[in-house]
Amino acid sequence: MNNRIKIPPLHLVLYGSMVTLLIFSLSYYKLRVAFSDSASYLTDITRNDGFFVAHGRFVSVLNQWIPFFLVKAGASLKALAVAYSFNYSLAPVLFSLVCMHWLKRPYHALAIMMLVLLMNSLLFYYTCSELQMGLTVLLFYDAVIDRRKEKRSWPTFLLLTFLLMPFIAFSHPTNIAVFASWVVYRMIRRWSDYRYVSIAGVWYIASYLAKKAWFTTTYEASQMVTWETFRPFGLNYYNGPFARSFYKYFVSEAFMVGVVFILMIVMLLWLRKYKLLVFVTGIMAALFTIIVIKFENWSSHFYDHY
């Protein structure tokens, strides 16, 4: 009798990427806290003797629970720096493991790991990115919907919606456009999802309105894209200084993003998912337009990466 445990190849890839990510988070912890924002976060965690949340983006606490317990225990600054770097990689790994083993959605785990690995390779120093954590939670929630539809477990679905939507709403403002795109994606993919998506949308809007009413800072309010931003729109935006630097960066350091995008287009064509293909290419063009308009005259190379 063969009692050997057979592990699917996809799981081996996922386990390998998780271990690699965690090892790098330990090896390069000094780089992870050298950037000004993340250094400020670690300083405030130590100073406040607990969690530190900037601009009402409460999703950042998912990256801070290990440093939180260590600072309560009076650990050294080095231990806090290592834990801060490790915790940032551990959070998406845990979400991926739950997707694989509880929700039975290994491809959602793959999506989370691809997102995290790409962002860490291009933005390794930016450890306090609430954008990445918000996107990770949204991918995890997408897996929750698929799993709950199979199990028809409404209480579990409602509980997870109640817990997860505020984390997505209280993350980076860019996730507003991403969440709206996700709603349209679910409707195009399968119209019968309208009940799940409607519940998620209502609770997301309620959470976001609560954030706008009581937790929005002056800085975040000043960064919002408004109608006045779009009024002078023209094709010159696609040939401005920021757009040109973006193109240069995209074909050099960030070429893997283009490879993934091309593979996605080929996959959708092969599966004959033409509606999704039009939607994905359209939403990418729309998001890029928002970016080049928002940062038309931006001169910092940092936002080319971001």
Side-chain angles (χ1 to χ4, degrees):
M1 181 181 293
N2 187 357
N3 293 321
R4 290 185 302 173
I5 299 175
K6 295 183 179 180
I7 303 177
L10 177 58
H11 285 212
L12 290 176
V13 172
L14 289 169
Y15 292 141
S17 61
M18 292 174 189
V19 171
T20 301
L21 190 67
L22 294 176
I23 290 175
F24 279 144
S25 72
L26 295 173
S27 301
Y28 296 100
Y29 75 94
K30 292 181 180 180
L31 295 178
R32 299 287 293 271
V33 297
F35 182 61
S36 58
D37 283 12
S38 51
S40 175
Y41 269 53
L42 187 60
T43 301
D44 287 322
I45 290 173
T46 307
R47 180 187 300 148
N48 298 332
D49 196 30
F51 293 115
F52 175 74
V53 177
H55 311 302
R57 302 173 186 176
F58 292 106
V59 73
S60 59
V61 301
L62 298 177
N63 299 329
Q64 300 177 19
W65 58 273
I66 296 180
F68 171 81
F69 287 114
L70 287 180
V71 76
K72 292 295 184 182
S76 66
L77 182 59
K78 179 179 179 180
L80 290 175
V82 173
Y84 186 60
S85 178
F86 184 76
N87 198 158
Y88 185 74
S89 294
L90 181 63
V93 165
L94 292 179
F95 277 117
S96 297
L97 288 172
V98 174
C99 283
M100 292 167 62
H101 298 291
W102 180 51
L103 300 176
K104 308 300 181 183
R105 288 292 179 276
Y107 286 102
H108 281 82
L110 179 63
I112 292 174
M113 292 310 300
M114 287 179 67
L115 168 73
V116 173
L117 288 170
L118 277 173
M119 291 194 73
N120 277 263
S121 63
L122 300 176
L123 291 162
F124 198 66
Y125 52 83
Y126 199 66
T127 59
C128 55
S129 173
E130 299 90 354
L131 172 62
Q132 178 175 307
M133 280 310 305
L135 294 174
T136 298
V137 176
L138 181 57
L139 285 169
F140 176 77
Y141 183 74
D142 190 73
V144 168
I145 289 184
D146 283 350
R147 184 61 174 172
R148 289 308 102 195
K149 284 171 58 181
E150 292 179 358
K151 293 294 184 178
R152 300 183 183 277
S153 177
W154 278 100
T156 304
F157 167 74
L158 293 174
L159 175 62
L160 289 174
T161 300
F162 179 79
L163 294 175
L164 295 176
M165 277 301 114
F167 278 109
I168 300 172
F170 281 77
S171 61
H172 197 278
T174 308
N175 280 334
I176 300 171
V178 178
F179 183 82
S181 304
W182 172 79
V183 170
V184 178
Y185 157 74
R186 294 293 308 197
M187 292 294 93
I188 293 176
R189 181 185 170 197
R190 192 172 292 110
W191 177 252
S192 59
D193 289 350
Y194 73 92
R195 290 177 298 173
Y196 301 94
V197 175
S198 298
I199 293 172
V202 169
W203 190 231
Y204 177 89
I205 292 172
S207 301
Y208 181 74
L209 291 177
K211 178 184 178 183
K212 291 290 290 183
W214 293 294
F215 298 98
T216 297
T217 62
T218 304
Y219 166 79
E220 196 165 274
S222 66
Q223 299 300 311
M224 293 297 292
V225 178
T226 63
W227 172 246
E228 293 298 321
T229 311
F230 284 91
R231 288 186 63 183
F233 173 72
L235 295 178
N236 58 294
Y237 282 101
Y238 299 105
N239 195 39
F242 177 79
R244 289 196 300 271
S245 65
F246 191 95
Y247 300 146
K248 181 179 179 180
Y249 176 71
F250 190 75
V251 298
S252 56
E253 297 177 59
F255 77 97
M256 278 304 300
V257 179
V259 172
V260 172
F261 186 64
I262 292 172
L263 290 174
M264 179 181 60
I265 291 176
V266 172
M267 180 194 68
L268 291 175
L269 286 171
W270 182 58
L271 296 174
R272 298 182 180 180
K273 301 289 186 179
Y274 302 123
K275 288 183 180 179
L276 280 177
L277 176 62
V278 172
F279 165 72
V280 169
T281 53
I283 202 64
M284 291 292 289
L287 291 175
F288 178 67
T289 299
I290 293 175
I291 291 171
V292 296
I293 291 176
K294 175 65 180 176
F295 299 107
E296 178 194 16
N297 297 314
W298 194 272
S299 58
S300 173
H301 186 61
F302 164 72
Y303 272 99
D304 293 11
H305 289 62
Y306 202 55

